[in-house]
Amino acid sequence: MNTEYNPNLHRYAVFTACCTFLLLIAGALVTSNDAGLSIPDWPLAYGSLTPPMVGGIRYEFTHRVIATCIGLLTIGLAAWLWKAEKRSWMRWLGLAALGGVIAQGILGGMTVLMFQPPQVSAAHATLAQLFFSTVVAIAVFTSSWWSGKLPALEDPRTPAVRSLVVWTLIAVFLQLILGAAFRHKGFGIIPHLIGAVIVTILIFMTAGALKRRFSNVPPLRNCAKLLHMMIGIQLLLGGGAYWSRLYAAQFPQPIAIMVTLTVVHTVTGALVLAATLVTTLISFRQVAGPKAAGESSRITEQVAQ
């Protein structure tokens, strides 16, 4: 891969991804504090740019301010990619990120103006995860590691690592959709629990395959460790968040323990998605596909003959 590494662009992409994570935290605080309708109008707040920062207004208004900043950062990222990137697909990925943040703002406004219908609220939360994943991917694609020359590793075993990581990524994303639907009262917790079991199995299968087959490849070995760690933390947080909801049911307002555990569980889910996405990208970058592996084997046989 002969892509020229641009350190400043990469740092900017990483900074945008980190700020987007802060936006996810702000959004989770809004939902967990039942503050989504604390400001009844949009895009203004009580007809003003500076509403009184009391009660749930401070959560919702802070969320809007951070979202505006992310929108400006994304405009800069898309423009920079379009100007500096030689890879056409990267330029279009930057535009896709920009389109995502615009759509996210529209969905956020619809959530307020339509009084938080579960479908729109869940779509807003889901698109937030997609946007975060897009920016994380851009940060990976602009890194010096991605731009360098790496050996193509063969993976003759079944199931192939490339297949495992893709299915795991899809399962994690669907699980986040189920979690968003549960938080926004779209349906009960049972689908989310079933999804947690499926995701846990797939992550352990993927991490185990990476550890056994590529223990001598640091990026893949580190991805396996990261996946094991993240799923363990997330399962503990999930149990704690559900217990806190049951405990908080006796109180008229959200209590601190419930808000804290729910927010941390929600944003850790985004980190699990990011870790799975990075693992998928690294696996596709370093592990040869079946066709490439077959061609390599035929070349080796011809040389031997």
Side-chain angles (χ1 to χ4, degrees), residues 141-183:
F141 293 143
T142 55
S143 66
S144 59
W145 179 87
W146 187 271
S147 303
K149 293 183 179 180
L150 299 170
L153 306 173
E154 293 189 13
D155 179 29
R157 302 187 190 180
T158 303
V161 161
R162 280 188 166 206
S163 298
L164 279 174
V165 293
V166 168
W167 283 112
T168 303
L169 180 62
I170 293 172
V172 171
F173 180 65
L174 292 177
Q175 172 67 350
L176 292 179
I177 296 176
L178 294 175
F182 171 64
R183 287 195 311 278

Side-chain angles (χ1 to χ4, degrees), residues 38-41 44-62:
S38 59
I39 300 177
D41 54 340
L44 296 177
Y46 290 97
S48 170
L49 293 174
T50 56
M53 300 296 283
V54 295
I57 296 176
R58 62 182 183 272
Y59 295 110
E60 173 63 11
F61 186 71
T62 301

Side-chain angles (χ1 to χ4, degrees), residues 205-278:
M205 287 178 62
T206 300
L210 291 172
K211 186 177 180 180
R212 289 189 302 271
R213 302 177 196 180
F214 305 106
S215 59
N216 60 336
V217 183
L220 295 173
R221 184 178 66 242
N222 292 335
C223 284
K225 293 179 180 178
L226 180 62
L227 288 177
H228 275 139
M229 179 182 68
M230 293 303 302
I231 192 60
I233 294 173
Q234 184 66 339
L235 289 174
L236 291 174
L237 288 171
Y242 186 61
W243 165 83
S244 69
R245 279 180 172 269
L246 297 177
Y247 176 72
Q250 58 185 308
F251 298 93
Q253 298 292 333
I255 60 175
I257 185 67
M258 187 273 289
V259 171
T260 301
L261 287 174
T262 301
V263 169
V264 176
H265 177 59
T266 300
V267 298
T268 302
L271 291 179
V272 172
L273 178 64
T276 309
L277 174 62
V278 171

Side-chain angles (χ1 to χ4, degrees), residues 67-152:
T68 301
C69 294
I70 296 301
L72 295 175
L73 286 172
T74 308
I75 292 173
L77 181 61
W80 197 342
L81 287 170
W82 194 264
K83 180 180 179 180
E85 266 291 341
K86 296 180 180 179
R87 296 168 289 182
S88 60
W89 60 271
M90 276 294 292
R91 296 197 294 269
W92 286 106
L93 187 60
L95 289 182
L98 180 57
V101 80
I102 293 172
Q104 182 69 344
I106 294 172
L107 279 174
M110 291 173 59
T111 299
V112 173
L113 298 178
M114 298 174 67
F115 302 102
Q116 291 185 311
Q119 299 88 342
V120 177
S121 297
H124 180 61
T126 300
L127 186 55
Q129 301 286 351
L130 275 176
F131 173 73
F132 179 57
S133 299
T134 303
V135 180
V136 168
I138 291 173
V140 173
F141 293 143
T142 55
S143 66
S144 59
W145 179 87
W146 187 271
S147 303
K149 293 183 179 180
L150 299 170

Side-chain angles (χ1 to χ4, degrees), residues 3-22:
T3 303
E4 184 178 352
Y5 170 56
N6 187 329
N8 292 326
L9 176 57
H10 173 63
R11 293 189 191 103
Y12 185 84
V14 171
F15 177 73
T16 304
C18 292
C19 291
T20 303
F21 183 69
L22 293 179

Side-chain angles (χ1 to χ4, degrees), residues 284-296:
F284 271 74
R285 181 71 177 87
Q286 283 214 267
V287 181
K291 183 177 180 180
E295 291 177 353
S296 176

